[in-house]
Amino acid sequence: MANITLQLPPSPPRFGYSLANAFPGLSLTQPVCLASPPGETNRLFILEKGGNIVVITNLASPTRTVFLGLTVMSDGESGLLGLAFHPGYATNRYFYVFSSRNLTTAQGNGRHQRLSRFECSPTNPNQGLTNTELPLITQIDSADNHNGGDLHFGLDGYLYVSLGDEGPQNDGANNAQKITKNFFSAILRLDVDKRPGNVLPNPHPANTTNYFIPADNPYVGATSFNGQPVDPARVRTEFYAVGFRNPWRMSFDRATGALYVGDVGQDLWEWVDVVVKGGNYGWSYFEGLHAGPKKPPAGFPRNNPIHEYAHGNGTARGNSITGGLVCRSQRLSQLYGAYLFADYVSGNVWMLRPDGTNVVPSQRLTGAQQPVAFGTDPRNGDVLIVQLSGQIMRLDYNSTPVGTPLPPTLVDTGAFSDLANLTPHAGIVPYDLNVPFWSDGAHKQRWFSIPDTNATIGFSREGNWAFPTGAVWIKHFELELTNGVPASRRRLETRFIVRGTNDVYGITYRWDEAQTNATLVPEAGLDEVFVIHDGGVTRTQTWHYPGRSECLTCHTAAGGGALGFNTAQLNRDFDFGGASANQIQALNQAGYFTTNVTGLHTLHAHVAATNQAASLESRVRSYLAVNCSNCHQPGGPAPAAFDTRLSTPTALAGIINGPLKVSGGSENKVIRPGLPEFSEMLERISTRGPEQMPPLASTVVDTNAVQLLTDWINTDATTFQSFSDWQIASFGGFGDAQLPRAAASADPDGDGTPNYLEFLLGTNPEEQSDPWHISARVANSVLQIHFPQIARRGFEVQATTNLFDPASWQPLDVPGNRPFFSATNFEAVVQDTNSSVVAKFYRVRIFEQ
């Protein structure tokens, strides 16, 4: 039945943008950069080009203090250019500065570009100590321009440094495509902590031994570059990426780890790069996407920019790019996840939506005066723009919305005919999940609606479903103020996710004190504190009502937009008002799907953490799929190599002994079997704060999930074997030309069971008497297939009437044949309720979790 009552627009109203002075009355002289120490929320550090690092304290009523003063060369594009605080600044007090200095070194006299480490006073947090300077790199420089000079620590804990090509036109110093010369035209990646396993840099008059080179830097040990041989002892192993003209401002997206750079062009073009390890961004063979002043060698491996714009006047042009940042402001949901950047000459401020390394268009937002840098307000993540003229500007909406307003209250949404009893209007259908997302112990109800009866859902057995424009999902939250007492439940919020033309948007309604209606939550969200009576303990619990941009953090495109509305979650029975039925079957019979869904009993279903019959591994994988896979999967926004989708086998998921892409200690892995203290995933779900996982809308640890993961780490994970592990354990090597007996298809004991099947069954590949077999029996006129079901393996009975047609084998669509990974070994029995044919043949497919 169609719903005709919902009053949710296909997209929320949109605003234009404006800039306002973030700190009126604050006096600054040629500010060029701003930064804040990790974890701090009420101090902002601003670099003045002429040599001062200014600290602004009490941001609500800012006070200016000179934190550190340096004598620099500030002519042209030189001066005090970059600042970064060590990730451990709160304890080691280290900060790093890039500056132009008039020095005498072994390289000569005059202008040098210097990267230095300083320390803050141990007694005065607003005073840097000039006498603690520790030089890392000091490079003589023949010109006052194209210095780069931006500094940032990546999620891996390494320091990244941007360097220009030294200045002369057309790469006149011939620096842009050299890795054995000087420190120019590159992004550096340095280990300032000298971690074990990393190496010293190759000697050069400009560098020191005050840092190490990460062992996985791309040019460590390089013997060729651009098709030409190079001496590895002369390579600048500090280089992470090369081919930049003047990378003026770079930034990491803290949510994904992606590194963005704005590279200043020469005569015709400016461009934006997404920088990857070992990338070559083309200068001086290319200017953006176009031919540059020099001819590239054959087969030159260029990394294209993701955006470029032409020189000139107008809203789409400019003459000198200022690289920006990815917006993660909760107050600007329209820009959430967009990369913002500007042009110093034209003043245009733009945004673009990154799409990997693909070229994407931009959209103008507003205009600024000489924008030279972007940053964030440490209090709330607001976007700040530094103007060389002396102001720090805040990006905000203007006051003129365009589009249909959002309903101001829950009543106005048209979702419920009886709000007191949460009775939905016709066409809004209830549903439930196999494994709910953790929501701090709240009780939840769910509904969905496809208002257009001509629209249907694209079904997928294992992947995301495809939803039509106008689809709506509703989730209602209640919290027991006295745990275990249902009568103490308080209505907290009701959320909506709406599928628009191109993406989804989310809105939240907070219930009032009278519990009679709910009001639209501000765009940035809000917090509320409740007193909870938990046994004999009284505690406070902060409930976070998510803002619109936070909805998009979890409801990702990679995750399908509508979390939980998929096969593994909905494959369960549900009481639809007196009649219980499988939800997928009911949706199929009601015509919700584009195609008819068959094989219902062969579909996967998530397993509850409390299901003791299921293996620990399958319960953990279900928890991770529900709580993590919206980000942790290929194409997802999380900066990690592991994949928590249920469809990815554990051996390929990068979870067990998986490497980390962020700092977490040299011994840490995603999961280390038998070592929970070195398992980063367990650490993240066991804590609440900036590093917690899942990252949003939770202030209470899911202790059941912590115990589940701990149990798996300490037990089943310690005996987990991938096929390659099994090959080594069984044969001492892999199956290849050197050891063909270990190959997956080899059968060294001649028992007809190839190695991969022996691995799945846990049988001995060199012992014929190690049996596993299936049998057929008849009981009560029904044919039964019996076989030993092995713990932590999946089994599927298949049948055919034609042995000569390999494509004719089909799984039995019967309840006992549903994919299931058992915690124990037992004799499985699958009944073929449709065995009336004269001749039928059976086999069992065995597969990994």
Side-chain angles (χ1 to χ4, degrees):
M1 180 182 297
N3 173 267
I4 58 174
T5 62
L6 284 169
Q7 301 298 310
L8 301 168
S11 59
R14 300 193 65 82
F15 290 83
Y17 301 92
S18 62
L19 293 177
N21 195 331
F23 307 105
L26 184 63
S27 177
L28 298 168
T29 303
Q30 290 192 304
V32 293
C33 175
L34 56 83
S36 290
E40 291 199 17
T41 59
N42 204 26
R43 286 198 303 171
L44 195 62
F45 291 75
I46 302 169
L47 269 64
E48 294 182 325
K49 186 172 179 285
N52 286 333
I53 301 178
V54 174
V55 57
I56 307 302
T57 57
N58 186 19
L59 299 185
S61 181
T63 299
R64 168 198 165 106
T65 302
V66 175
F67 176 73
L68 186 81
L70 293 177
T71 301
V72 301
M73 300 181 71
S74 59
D75 55 325
E77 296 173 8
S78 295
L80 197 57
L81 301 178
L83 170 67
F85 292 92
H86 191 282
Y89 178 77
T91 55
N92 63 28
R93 297 179 285 108
Y94 294 159
F95 61 98
Y96 297 80
V97 175
F98 192 100
S99 59
S100 308
R101 310 277 278 276
N102 187 358
L103 301 171
T104 298
T105 68
Q107 304 165 77
N109 303 326
R111 188 187 316 273
H112 290 68
Q113 305 303 331
R114 171 172 279 187
L115 171 66
S116 303
R117 188 192 81 190
F118 292 87
E119 296 180 33
C120 171
S121 166
T123 58
N124 182 356
N126 296 321
Q127 182 63 62
L129 302 176
T130 56
N131 61 358
T132 62
E133 182 174 16
L134 179 73
L136 278 69
I137 298 173
T138 306
Q139 174 66 63
I140 195 167
D141 189 354
S142 64
D144 63 13
N145 58 342
H146 297 192
N147 302 313
D150 210 4
L151 306 179
H152 293 276
F153 279 92
L155 298 183
D156 54 11
Y158 294 131
L159 179 62
Y160 290 72
V161 185
S162 69
L163 302 174
D165 68 0
E166 197 177 8
Q169 275 202 327
N170 300 313
D171 185 27
N174 198 29
N175 288 319
Q177 293 294 330
K178 300 289 185 183
I179 66 168
T180 56
K181 195 179 176 187
N182 299 319
F183 290 89
F184 294 111
S185 199
I187 306 298
L188 311 183
R189 180 181 185 236
L190 311 177
D191 172 13
V192 296
D193 298 315
K194 296 188 172 183
R195 301 179 191 174
N198 289 336
V199 297
L200 283 167
N202 287 330
H204 183 280
N207 69 5
T208 66
T209 58
N210 293 326
Y211 59 90
F212 277 178
I213 303 298
D216 64 341
N217 264 16
Y219 298 110
V220 172
T223 58
S224 65
F225 178 73
N226 287 348
Q228 298 297 315
V230 295
D231 180 358
R234 297 182 59 213
V235 168
R236 304 280 70 79
T237 51
E238 292 88 346
F239 285 5
Y240 179 78
V242 298
F244 300 94
R245 185 173 182 269
N246 184 22
W248 183 250
R249 297 309 172 208
M250 63 181 181
S251 66
F252 284 97
D253 178 3
R254 310 312 293 185
T256 67
L259 176 58
Y260 294 86
V261 169
D263 203 357
V264 179
Q266 183 164 280
D267 297 322
L268 298 173
W269 299 94
E270 309 290 308
W271 60 94
V272 176
D273 296 315
V274 176
V275 176
V276 297
K277 182 169 69 175
N280 191 325
Y281 293 87
W283 179 255
S284 55
Y285 298 141
F286 294 89
E287 185 180 5
L289 291 165
H290 309 270
K294 296 184 180 180
K295 184 178 180 180
F300 174 69
R302 176 177 63 148
N303 294 74
N304 285 334
I306 64 165
H307 181 75
E308 65 173 10
Y309 62 90
H311 283 196
N313 299 317
T315 58
R317 293 173 176 254
N319 291 274
S320 180
I321 192 171
T322 294
L325 49 73
V326 174
C327 176
R328 297 295 176 187
S329 169
Q330 304 301 337
R331 292 199 316 108
L332 299 174
S333 64
Q334 292 178 187
L335 295 177
Y336 191 81
Y339 178 71
L340 312 184
F341 62 107
D343 188 272
Y344 173 77
V345 177
S346 69
N348 289 318
V349 178
W350 297 285
M351 62 83 79
L352 57 80
R353 291 282 176 188
D355 182 19
T357 57
N358 296 321
V359 178
V360 293
S362 66
Q363 172 190 332
R364 186 180 187 274
L365 304 179
T366 186
Q369 295 180 359
Q370 297 179 309
V372 290
F374 285 72
T376 57
D377 189 323
R379 294 171 295 178
N380 53 21
D382 277 5
V383 176
L384 303 177
I385 299 177
V386 181
Q387 296 186 154
L388 189 66
S389 53
Q391 297 81 37
I392 309 298
M393 309 300 289
R394 188 184 308 276
L395 181 66
D396 207 342
Y397 294 136
N398 63 23
S399 58
T400 308
V402 176
T404 304
L406 296 170
T409 72
L410 186 57
V411 167
D412 297 317
T413 66
F416 298 98
S417 59
D418 179 356
L419 208 56
N421 296 303
L422 292 180
T423 303
H425 279 290
I428 299 176
V429 183
Y431 69 97
D432 205 356
L433 307 179
N434 278 314
V435 178
F437 188 89
W438 171 246
S439 299
D440 288 1
H443 299 267
K444 292 174 279 191
Q445 292 175 263
R446 301 169 182 83
W447 302 265
F448 82 96
S449 177
I450 309 293
D452 183 354
T453 55
N454 294 319
T456 52
I457 299 169
F459 178 83
S460 173
R461 292 178 63 88
E462 295 187 340
N464 298 326
W465 293 1
F467 303 108
T469 299
V472 175
W473 294 266
I474 307 169
K475 186 159 60 172
H476 174 76
F477 296 75
E478 297 184 0
L479 189 66
E480 290 180 354
L481 300 185
T482 300
N483 278 342
V485 179
S488 71
R489 281 192 189 181
R490 176 187 172 87
R491 292 180 174 182
L492 299 179
E493 61 171 287
T494 305
R495 300 179 190 171
F496 292 76
I497 293 292
V498 181
R499 177 71 191 181
T501 304
N502 299 312
D503 51 18
V504 300
Y505 75 89
I507 50 177
T508 302
Y509 291 86
R510 174 187 173 275
W511 282 82
D512 56 26
E513 293 296 323
Q515 301 281 275
T516 57
N517 198 359
T519 304
L520 182 66
V521 166
E523 184 168 358
L526 58 84
D527 291 337
E528 187 171 8
V529 178
F530 294 95
V531 176
I532 307 295
H533 303 282
D534 195 354
V537 177
T538 299
R539 59 179 173 85
T540 59
Q541 178 173 332
T542 299
W543 184 266
H544 181 66
Y545 301 89
R548 269 176 258 163
S549 61
E550 292 176 288
C551 296
L552 302 181
T553 300
C554 290
H555 290 269
T556 62
L563 301 183
F565 214 75
N566 55 50
T567 300
Q569 282 284 51
L570 294 183
N571 188 11
R572 57 163 293 168
D573 289 345
F574 183 73
D575 186 350
F576 291 94
S580 182
N582 180 278
Q583 292 180 122
I584 295 177
Q585 183 180 39
L587 293 175
N588 188 53
Q589 291 175 344
Y592 275 97
F593 296 124
T594 302
T595 57
N596 184 47
V597 177
T598 59
L600 180 69
H601 295 108
T602 66
L603 299 175
H604 281 275
H606 284 315
V607 182
T610 55
N611 186 348
Q612 298 292 322
S615 70
L616 270 171
E617 182 182 347
S618 66
R619 287 182 272 159
V620 166
R621 291 301 309 276
S622 290
Y623 170 84
L624 296 179
V626 170
N627 289 274
C628 310
S629 67
N630 52 304
C631 292
H632 290 280
Q633 62 168 288
F642 58 92
D643 182 358
T644 56
R645 292 175 300 171
L646 199 64
S647 57
T648 302
T650 302
L652 302 177
I655 296 172
I656 294 180
N657 287 317
L660 301 174
K661 285 196 172 181
V662 298
S663 58
S666 59
E667 297 182 89
N668 284 36
K669 300 294 183 183
V670 177
I671 285 298
R672 282 192 67 179
L675 295 170
E677 66 272 24
F678 295 120
S679 298
E680 188 78 5
M681 179 183 285
L682 178 62
E683 172 66 21
R684 295 295 185 90
I685 72 167
S686 302
T687 58
R688 284 297 173 265
E691 300 299 318
Q692 74 179 52
M693 287 294 168
L696 294 175
S698 176
T699 61
V700 178
V701 171
D702 183 354
T703 55
N704 291 329
V706 170
Q707 189 62 55
L708 177 70
L709 195 56
T710 301
D711 290 345
W712 182 55
I713 292 169
N714 285 328
T715 56
D716 288 5
T718 63
T719 59
F720 177 85
Q721 270 190 325
S722 67
F723 179 59
S724 59
D725 294 334
W726 180 89
Q727 287 175 303
I728 294 172
S730 300
F731 301 101
F734 296 98
D736 52 25
Q738 286 72 43
L739 196 61
R741 295 176 67 254
S745 59
D747 182 14
D749 59 7
D751 64 354
T753 305
N755 280 333
Y756 183 65
L757 187 54
E758 300 260 23
F759 156 70
L760 292 172
L761 294 173
T763 53
N764 190 333
E766 299 193 285
E767 176 54 64
Q768 289 189 359
S769 63
D770 206 350
W772 186 92
H773 61 273
I774 67 173
S775 61
R777 308 173 196 174
V778 176
N780 298 321
S781 301
V782 176
L783 185 68
Q784 297 178 337
I785 305 300
H786 291 245
F787 57 89
Q789 177 139 341
I790 299 167
R792 296 150 60 179
R793 291 285 187 253
F795 295 81
E796 178 185 80
V797 177
Q798 299 178 345
T800 185
T801 58
N802 183 1
L803 281 177
F804 300 101
D805 181 9
S808 66
W809 288 97
Q810 295 295 321
L812 296 181
D813 187 15
V814 295
N817 209 27
R818 176 170 291 173
F820 182 73
F821 298 89
S822 171
T824 59
N825 298 336
F826 65 95
E827 181 170 336
V829 180
V830 176
Q831 297 188 132
D832 186 355
T833 55
N834 183 24
S835 55
S836 59
V837 295
V838 176
K840 206 167 189 179
F841 306 91
Y842 299 89
R843 70 182 184 186
V844 176
R845 181 175 76 92
I846 308 165
F847 49 94
E848 301 177 64
Q849 170 71 31

